């Protein structure tokens, strides 16, 4: 009795498809059962058959999965390809989302690595304290405590745009690839801004408590200009002196108060702007966080403020 082999009809059996794609039969069945790899028919014995395009579709599914896309994301990409003949916006959205997530994960790993080096490289007696300090900071760290600190310090009812502009300057962005020293500085910033105000000190300076919303906006617009002007002599290492930067500094407060720049006003202002060791420490730490290895620290608003305050209180400034 002779048998005849049925002619090849361009379709794959599940085993052949799995072999050609370099996957297991179980994998092919998994994608089929979830509708990602439709079968074209079944034999009389119930075996699955796949059309000529199944191999390329399966290879595309494997490629998408190898990039970390979840099954629902793969389905959206395939549906879009079925409609338009090629992947489009769904693939771009999925890839962008995964790149962003991976970037966050890599940054977190770099922060953990730097934190471990910080603990490893410090003297044994300091390790418990370092561990407690860095243990309070997430990886990658959040800047929320720093922003809350400044929101409580800034004048009340200050316009949202002015607040955002100030926070952009005052809150340092955590570096993506920090050194142990930068991790330590950021952890100290977090501890400094999360702690209560020192006994007897109010959250805001007296100069802030007398200006309204409009005055606050004028004040910080003028201060930003004054700090920028003070940056040039700070970079050159010049001692504080009366000049354009100081005039701009005083004018910012005069505009906020609705008054004129006079010797009497300067004397009054000097009394309302005492040095604040807590803020001085804050800006020192900001400089450490922002300075790359081997780099030169840029003047911070805090350094500019201290330089201008010294110029204001110097006898020649009057």
């Amino acid at each position: 009795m002779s048998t005849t082999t049925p002619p090849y009809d361009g379709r794959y059996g599940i085993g052949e498809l799995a072999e050609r794609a370099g996957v297991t039969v179980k994998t092919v069945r998994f994608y089929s059962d979830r509708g990602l790899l439709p079968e074209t028919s079944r034999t009389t014995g119930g075996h699955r058959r796949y059309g000529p395009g199944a191999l390329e579709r399966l290879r595309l599914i494997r490629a998408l999965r190898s990039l970390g896309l979840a099954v629902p994301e793969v389905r959206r990409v395939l549906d879009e390809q079925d409609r338009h003949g090629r992947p489009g916006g769904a693939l771009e959205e999925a890839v962008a989302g995964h790149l962003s997530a991976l970037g966050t994960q890599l940054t977190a790993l770099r922060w953990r690595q730097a934190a471990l080096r910080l603990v490893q490289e410090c003297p044994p007696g300091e390790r418990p304290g370092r561990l407690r300090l860095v243990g309070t900071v997430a990886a990658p760290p959040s800047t929320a405590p720093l922003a809350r600190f400044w929101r409580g310090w800034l004048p009340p009812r200050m316009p949202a745009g002015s607040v955002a502009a100030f926070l952009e300057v005052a809150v340092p962005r955590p570096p993506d690839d920090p050194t142990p020293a930068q991790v330590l500085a950021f952890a100290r910033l977090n501890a400094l801004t999360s702690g209560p105000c020192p006994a007897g000190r109010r959250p805001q300076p007296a100069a802030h408590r007398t200006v309204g919303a409009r005055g606050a906006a004028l004040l910080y617009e003028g201060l930003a200009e004054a700090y920028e002007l003070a940056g040039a002599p700070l970079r050159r290492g010049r001692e504080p002196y009366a000049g354009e930067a100081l005039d701009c500094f005083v004018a910012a407060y005069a505009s906020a108060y609705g008054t004129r720049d006079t010797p009497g006003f300067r004397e009054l202002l000097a009394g309302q702007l005492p040095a604040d060791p807590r803020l001085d420490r804050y800006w020192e730490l900001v400089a450490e966080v922002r300075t790359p290895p081997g780099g030169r620290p840029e003047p911070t608003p805090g350094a500019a403020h201290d330089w201008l305050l010294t110029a204001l209180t110097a006898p020649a400034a009057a």
Side-chain angles (χ1 to χ4, degrees):
M1 182 176 179
S2 63
T3 59
T4 303
T5 302
Y8 177 66
D9 59 3
R11 291 180 294 175
Y12 300 104
I14 190 169
E16 182 184 6
L17 180 60
E19 183 179 357
R20 286 176 177 264
V23 300
T24 65
V25 168
K26 184 179 180 180
T27 297
V28 177
R29 187 177 293 113
F30 174 84
Y31 293 139
S32 291
D33 290 344
R34 278 152 186 78
L36 302 180
L37 188 66
E39 57 199 58
T40 58
S41 63
R42 292 207 179 197
T43 67
T44 55
H47 300 294
R48 305 176 196 231
R49 304 287 286 173
Y50 298 90
L55 181 58
E56 284 306 312
R57 188 178 183 88
L58 181 54
R59 286 171 175 164
L60 174 59
I61 293 170
R62 287 193 66 201
L64 295 171
R65 293 286 284 162
S66 71
L67 294 176
L69 273 66
V71 168
E73 292 174 308
V74 172
R75 178 175 288 107
R76 285 193 292 271
V77 172
L78 294 174
D79 288 346
E80 191 171 59
Q81 176 172 269
D82 291 340
R83 290 194 304 270
H84 304 294
R86 59 183 176 82
L91 178 60
E92 293 176 8
E93 181 181 344
V95 169
H98 280 264
L99 280 174
S100 177
L102 280 174
T104 301
Q105 292 170 21
L106 288 172
T107 300
L109 288 173
R110 295 188 188 107
W111 271 84
R112 291 188 186 118
Q113 182 185 46
L116 287 169
R117 286 174 53 201
L118 175 66
V119 174
Q120 182 184 52
E121 294 168 3
C122 75
E126 297 180 13
R127 284 176 184 165
R130 292 282 171 88
L131 278 171
R132 286 192 296 271
L133 188 63
V134 300
T136 62
V137 179
S142 169
T143 57
L146 281 61
R148 283 196 299 270
F149 170 82
W150 284 113
R151 289 183 186 277
W153 187 86
L154 290 169
R157 301 179 304 281
M158 186 168 170
S162 299
V163 172
F166 179 83
L167 293 180
E168 183 70 22
V169 175
V171 177
R173 179 182 181 275
D176 290 337
D177 191 6
T179 64
Q182 287 173 314
V183 169
L184 179 60
F186 197 93
R188 285 173 170 165
L189 267 178
N190 184 76
L192 179 69
T193 55
S194 299
C197 290
R201 294 194 65 89
R202 298 186 66 176
Q204 297 172 337
H208 283 181
R209 295 195 292 272
T210 56
V211 298
R214 181 177 178 276
L218 289 172
L219 174 63
Y220 277 87
E221 286 173 11
L223 288 179
E225 184 179 354
Y227 295 158
E228 185 175 351
L229 290 170
L234 271 168
R235 292 184 187 93
R236 296 195 298 270
R238 288 200 59 179
E239 292 296 319
Y241 63 90
E244 182 183 10
L246 179 58
D247 291 344
C248 185
F249 180 71
V250 176
Y253 283 98
S255 296
Y257 292 152
T259 188
R260 295 183 300 110
D261 177 2
T262 64
F265 177 73
R266 291 196 176 205
E267 183 178 353
L268 175 67
L269 186 62
Q272 289 185 333
L273 299 176
D276 190 329
R278 192 182 190 203
L279 292 186
D280 289 342
R281 180 56 175 156
Y282 179 94
W283 291 113
E284 288 172 4
L285 293 169
V286 166
E288 292 180 33
V289 171
R290 286 180 171 161
T291 303
R296 184 178 179 181
E298 280 291 303
T300 64
H305 184 89
D306 287 347
W307 190 93
L308 290 163
L309 184 57
T310 301
L312 177 65
T313 55

